[in-house]
């Protein structure tokens, strides 16, 4: 059974989409079958992998106008597929309000996807609206990218409270995959202070991998490529390869615990 990971943070500009694209690509390049789902109306994960706006995608899937097979697109990496997004997804949140079981529409639409893919990565919008709730309802875990700045700490506390509510009311199996420090500049005092604060208050969730501030990471989306295909020897590429290894390793531990807990 595959693992579904939502990449979420209600604050924009924290490296959420960059993380979703490059984590998915790194895991795929390790030989595993990966599906990236772009559920952000901005569609940056889609364009970041070179997918045009004329492709059918997540909007049609949510509205029941297309099947999974009709909306899954290929990428330059053979083992990486994507369900793209377009700007018309903006209206989906309004349309979902009137739907029965509106928080679990995506879960129903993705029925069977965990049998086909080993990892599913969902790039969420920078908000905690219905689209993000749908992603959290179907996910096994949430990866939280966090930029090392002062206000990020306040947003993190709010997000973790929201995740507790989602776990209680919608998805009792939801876990925090980890907090990922992004755009880290070790030369600044603020970055070091924020890292220390996260380590102090959220040490259980903090991932070992840290994503550095890297020009190549910023350039890659404009070329429609993940960092591994655009600048494979950059610090940015190396950091996401390390993140992929860490996530895969954690998933193996989760599988082992699950099997032991079931008495298998």
């Amino acid at each position: 059974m595959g693992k579904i990971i939502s990449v979420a943070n209600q604050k924009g500009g924290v490296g959420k989409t960059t993380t979703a694209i490059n984590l998915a690509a790194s895991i795929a390049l390790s030989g595993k079958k990966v599906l990236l789902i772009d559920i952000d109306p901005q569609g940056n994960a889609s364009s970041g992998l070179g997918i045009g706006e004329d492709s059918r995608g997540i909007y049609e899937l949510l509205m029941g106008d297309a099947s999974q097979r009709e909306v899954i697109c290929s990428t330059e990496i053979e083992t990486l597929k994507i369900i793209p997004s377009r700007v018309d997804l903006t209206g989906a949140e309004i349309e979902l309000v009137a739907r029965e079981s509106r928080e679990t529409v995506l879960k129903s639409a993705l029925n069977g996807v965990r049998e086909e893919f080993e990892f599913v990565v969902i790039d969420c919008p920078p908000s905690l609206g219905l689209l993000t709730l749908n992603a959290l309802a179907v996910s096994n875990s949430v990866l939280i990218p966090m930029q090392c700045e002062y206000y990020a700490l306040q947003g993190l506390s709010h997000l973790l409270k929201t995740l507790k509510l989602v776990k209680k009311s919608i998805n009792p199996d939801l876990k925090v995959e980890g907090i990922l420090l992004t755009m880290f500049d070790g030369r600044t005092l603020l970055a070091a202070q924020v890292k220390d604060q996260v380590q102090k208050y959220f040490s259980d969730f903090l991932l070992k991998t840290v994503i550095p501030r890297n020009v190549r990471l910023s350039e890659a989306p404009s070329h429609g490529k993940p960092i591994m295909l655009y600048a494979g020897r950059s610090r940015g590429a190396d950091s996401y390869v390390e993140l992929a290894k860490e996530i895969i390793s954690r998933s193996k531990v989760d599988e082992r615990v699950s099997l032991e807990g079931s008495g298998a």
Side-chain angles (χ1 to χ4, degrees):
M1 290 285 282
K3 183 174 186 177
I4 302 178
I5 303 172
S6 277
V7 183
N9 193 323
Q10 77 275 24
K11 191 177 185 302
V14 298
K16 178 181 58 61
T17 298
T18 297
T19 293
I21 291 173
N22 292 305
L23 173 61
S26 294
I27 295 176
L29 286 169
S30 76
K32 299 187 181 298
K33 293 182 68 177
V34 182
L35 176 65
L36 175 61
I37 300 175
D38 187 353
I39 201 169
D40 185 346
Q42 297 176 86
N44 291 335
S46 304
S47 61
L49 283 179
I51 306 297
E53 292 188 7
D54 56 342
S55 302
R56 302 180 85 193
I58 192 66
Y59 176 78
E60 287 80 6
L61 185 64
L62 287 172
M63 295 301 112
D65 296 330
S67 66
Q68 283 182 32
R69 198 160 297 279
E70 290 174 311
V71 299
I72 293 177
C73 301
S74 298
T75 71
E76 284 190 66
I77 301 171
E78 187 178 352
T79 50
L80 175 62
K81 309 295 183 185
I82 181 172
I83 298 180
S85 171
R86 296 195 310 270
V87 69
D88 56 4
L89 186 61
T90 305
E93 231 162 344
I94 299 171
E95 295 177 64
L96 285 172
V97 169
R99 294 275 291 272
E100 186 177 348
S101 303
R102 59 191 180 187
E103 297 92 354
T104 56
V105 174
L106 180 63
K107 184 176 182 179
S108 299
L110 292 179
N111 185 42
V113 77
R114 292 178 64 201
E115 282 74 40
E116 186 173 352
F117 295 93
E118 292 169 86
F119 284 88
V120 178
V121 178
I122 306 178
D123 183 32
C124 297
S127 68
L128 295 175
L130 260 180
L131 291 174
T132 299
L133 285 178
N134 266 266
L136 297 178
V138 73
S139 295
N140 300 105
S141 63
V142 188
L143 177 62
I144 307 171
M146 177 183 156
Q147 188 177 357
C148 290
E149 60 176 34
Y150 173 72
Y151 290 114
L153 287 169
Q154 293 177 314
L156 180 58
S157 297
H158 179 58
L159 178 58
L160 290 173
K161 287 178 182 177
T162 300
L163 293 178
K164 284 183 179 179
L165 291 174
V166 171
K167 182 178 175 69
K168 184 177 181 180
S169 59
I170 302 174
N171 183 358
D173 298 321
L174 186 66
K175 297 179 181 178
V176 175
E177 186 68 35
I179 297 168
L180 175 68
L181 298 181
T182 62
M183 293 177 264
F184 184 81
D185 188 345
R187 298 169 300 179
T188 67
L189 180 60
L190 178 61
Q193 289 176 335
V194 171
K195 183 179 181 181
D196 287 344
Q197 289 294 302
V198 176
Q199 182 71 57
K200 180 178 179 180
Y201 294 106
F202 306 104
S203 59
D204 291 344
F205 300 136
L206 186 61
L207 294 172
K208 294 177 182 177
T209 306
V210 174
I211 309 300
R213 188 174 292 279
N214 182 253
V215 174
R216 295 298 192 191
L217 278 173
S218 302
E219 293 173 348
S222 65
H223 295 268
K225 296 177 181 290
I227 187 64
M228 302 81 202
L229 299 186
Y230 174 67
R233 295 186 177 182
S234 64
R235 289 177 63 224
D238 290 344
S239 64
Y240 276 108
V241 169
E242 286 304 310
L243 176 63
K245 290 178 181 177
E246 186 171 359
I247 296 297
I248 291 169
S249 176
R250 292 166 69 93
S251 298
K252 288 178 180 176
V253 171
D254 289 343
E255 288 177 6
R256 188 165 65 247
V257 170
S258 178
L259 285 171
E260 290 173 353
S262 67

